[in-house]
Every structure is written in structure tokens, then in C-alpha cells.
Amino acid sequence: MEYEQLKLNNQLCFRLYTAARLTVGAYHPYLDPLGITYPQYLVLLVLWEQDKQPVCDIAKWLMLDTNTVTPLLQRMEKSGLLQRTKGKTDTRQRIVSLTEKGSALREQAKHIPECLSASKD
Amino acid sequence: MEYEQLKLNNQLCFRLYTAARLTVGAYHPYLDPLGITYPQYLVLLVLWEQDKQPVCDIAKWLMLDTNTVTPLLQRMEKSGLLQRTKGKTDTRQRIVSLTEKGSALREQAKHIPECLSASKD
DNA sequence: TATTTTTGCATCGTGAACGATATAAACCAG
DNA sequence: CTGGTTTATATCGTTCACGATGCAAAAATA
């Protein structure tokens, strides 16, 4: 009884942590064919809504730090989804813009949300 | 309107993913002094409830696979929190048991849940 | 203008997650 | 008992998440 609050399933955080992992996992069947990971999908969501943003803005949307986002963008650049160009007004910034390939994925991704909300079990 | 469902904040999964990250992050001030990470804390929760379990049982509790749990346990063994001994009835199994150090942490961790539920902002 | 501070991005190291694969022990069907 | 299958664990490679640190450009302040 003294340690009741230390039981695993009494912990909201564990449930949250597990739910998030499993939910992200549920995207796999839809993201694998597109050749992207879930965090990469999130970056695309941001850029599809508004293209040509500096790294810090993308990080703000995703609530991540640049030390997570920078390597993520580098991998996406390597796989041809986006480009990172030096900012003109502020040369410290790197402006991230979608390539043709990155833009085109939007059409294929369009139905993913409803697929997931429809998936039972 | 056509792509409304692709907006970041319309996506439950993103909110879940972010909430989980931030919530895990909220444990840092309490786990850092104990020298453990959040997943390691989860392993301890399991072992504090029931000591001496095979790897697969711990994995089941945490809803993780052994390829995640094994390295986690190896790191915890290296830092002296637990031991992994060969199973006697089934020699494939590795029975995980707490060390003195691992058991002792329970007392220090006892107040973490209420600390977190009390933390504002 | 010169100096300090802040900001934007990058790099490094560590610890997770997880798919794929490997290996040995246990189990099971013939 | 034998051969095929399942089970328990481990290893490897890749991608994240994130603390710490570095650096150069911009902004603020003296």
C-alpha cells in the first residue's frame, strides 16, 4: 500500500508514453510505402501547410529543438524531399523548402488520417 | 479545405507524441538525481512490484520488444542497478533481479508521482 | 562605433525504439 | 527419438530525442 503510487499502470505518464509509441507505430503501414518515417511525416505536414520556413520555425511547430530537427532535415534533404538554402535577410537562417518530390507526396498522404481513424483494433 | 485533415494540430497522434515527450521530460528533475532515465525508471517500477523476472516478462509489462529491453537492462546492469542470471528451469531465460542499489532507490522514488502531479505549469 | 548578448544552426555523445537477423534451448509432431 | 517449429534472448543498423557545446551572424547596449 505504501508504494501503491509506484505501480506501473497507475502512472499516467506510462500510459501516455505507450499510447504514443503504439499510435506512431500504427502509421507504419501507410508511411513505409512513401519511404518516410513518422517524424519526417510531421516535417512534411508543416511544410505542406507553409513552404519555405527557417529551421527554427519548423522546430517551434513540432516543439522540438534544432539539435533534433537539423539532422532530421539533413536526412530528408539527402533523400530528396527538401532543400536547405541560406537565408537572404538573415544569413544565419537555413530556409527549408520542398522539392517536387516532397510536394508530390502530399497527394499520396492525403488519405492517411482517415485511414487511421477508420482502422479498427 | 482539401488538405484540412493534414494540418498538424488536427492530428491526435501529433498531440499524443508531443504530450508523451513533454511528460517524460517532466521526470528529468526527479530522475537525474537518481542517475536513471525514464525507461530505466519504468523497469525499476516493474521490478519493485515483482523482483526476479525473465526479460520477456519485463518486456510484456512495458509493451516493448526484447531488442529494446535487452540493451536497456544491460546498461542498468553496468550501472549496478540489477543482475541478469541464467534461468534454472529454462536456460534460455535470463532472470533479472534487483541489486541492493536498485532496491534502495525505491525509497527515494516513492515521492516522485506526487511531486509530478503537484507540479504546476 | 565597440562590446556584449542573443539567436540560429550545427556537431557530438548517449540512450532509446525498432526492424531484421542470428542462435540456442525448449517444445512438439511424426 | 528425430526433425521441424516455436520461444527467449541477443546483435546490428538506422533513426530519433536531447543535453552539452561551439560558432558565426545579428541585435542590443554601452
Side-chain angles (χ1 to χ4, degrees):
Chain A
M1 193 50 66
E2 189 188 6
Y3 295 108
E4 198 64 22
Q5 72 282 5
L6 283 183
K7 285 194 176 172
L8 195 59
N9 284 313
N10 291 346
Q11 303 236 355
L12 173 63
C13 183
F14 170 65
R15 289 170 176 258
L16 207 50
Y17 154 86
T18 301
R21 275 195 314 105
L22 298 182
T23 308
V24 168
Y27 278 79
H28 258 109
Y30 305 99
L31 298 181
D32 283 354
L34 307 190
I36 57 176
T37 66
Y38 183 74
Q40 292 176 5
Y41 172 64
L42 293 183
V43 170
L44 290 177
L45 289 183
V46 170
L47 291 171
W48 287 333
E49 262 194 77
Q50 173 165 353
D51 200 0
K52 301 187 198 312
Q53 295 192 56
V55 175
C56 61
D57 285 11
I58 296 176
K60 254 172 233 153
W61 276 107
L62 302 181
M63 300 182 77
L64 290 166
D65 280 328
T66 62
N67 58 356
T68 297
V69 172
T70 292
L72 184 52
L73 295 173
Q74 287 170 340
R75 284 186 289 268
M76 294 177 75
E77 184 171 40
K78 199 185 289 183
S79 61
L81 296 168
L82 49 82
Q83 288 173 338
R84 301 179 308 135
T85 58
K86 267 209 163 25
K88 282 165 189 163
T89 56
D90 186 338
T91 66
R92 290 172 305 178
Q93 291 186 334
R94 301 277 275 184
I95 306 298
V96 180
S97 47
L98 289 167
T99 59
E100 267 305 312
K101 181 178 174 186
S103 297
L105 277 186
R106 191 184 199 182
E107 190 57 30
Q108 295 185 60
K110 203 170 70 171
H111 297 298
I112 292 181
E114 56 197 84
C115 286
L116 275 155
S117 59
S119 71
K120 318 258 186 276
D121 82 314
Chain B
M1 191 51 64
E2 191 187 5
Y3 295 109
E4 197 64 21
Q5 73 282 6
L6 283 183
K7 286 194 175 171
L8 195 59
N9 284 313
N10 291 347
Q11 303 236 356
L12 173 63
C13 184
F14 170 64
R15 288 170 178 257
L16 207 51
Y17 155 84
T18 301
R21 277 194 312 106
L22 299 181
T23 308
V24 167
Y27 278 78
H28 258 109
Y30 305 99
L31 298 181
D32 283 353
L34 308 189
I36 57 176
T37 65
Y38 183 74
Q40 293 177 4
Y41 172 65
L42 294 182
V43 170
L44 290 177
L45 289 182
V46 170
L47 291 172
W48 287 334
E49 261 193 77
Q50 174 166 352
D51 201 359
K52 301 188 199 312
Q53 294 192 57
V55 175
C56 60
D57 285 11
I58 296 175
K60 253 172 234 153
W61 277 108
L62 303 181
M63 301 182 76
L64 290 165
D65 280 329
T66 62
N67 57 356
T68 298
V69 173
T70 293
L72 184 51
L73 294 174
Q74 287 170 339
R75 283 186 290 269
M76 293 177 75
E77 184 172 39
K78 199 186 289 185
S79 61
L81 295 168
L82 49 81
Q83 288 172 339
R84 300 179 310 137
T85 58
K86 267 210 164 25
K88 281 164 191 166
T89 57
D90 186 337
T91 66
R92 291 172 304 178
Q93 291 186 334
R94 302 275 276 183
I95 306 298
V96 181
S97 46
L98 289 166
T99 58
E100 268 303 313
K101 181 178 172 185
S103 297
L105 277 187
R106 191 183 200 183
E107 191 56 30
Q108 295 185 59
K110 205 171 68 171
H111 299 297
I112 292 181
E114 55 197 86
C115 287
L116 274 155
S117 59
S119 73
K120 317 256 187 277
D121 82 315

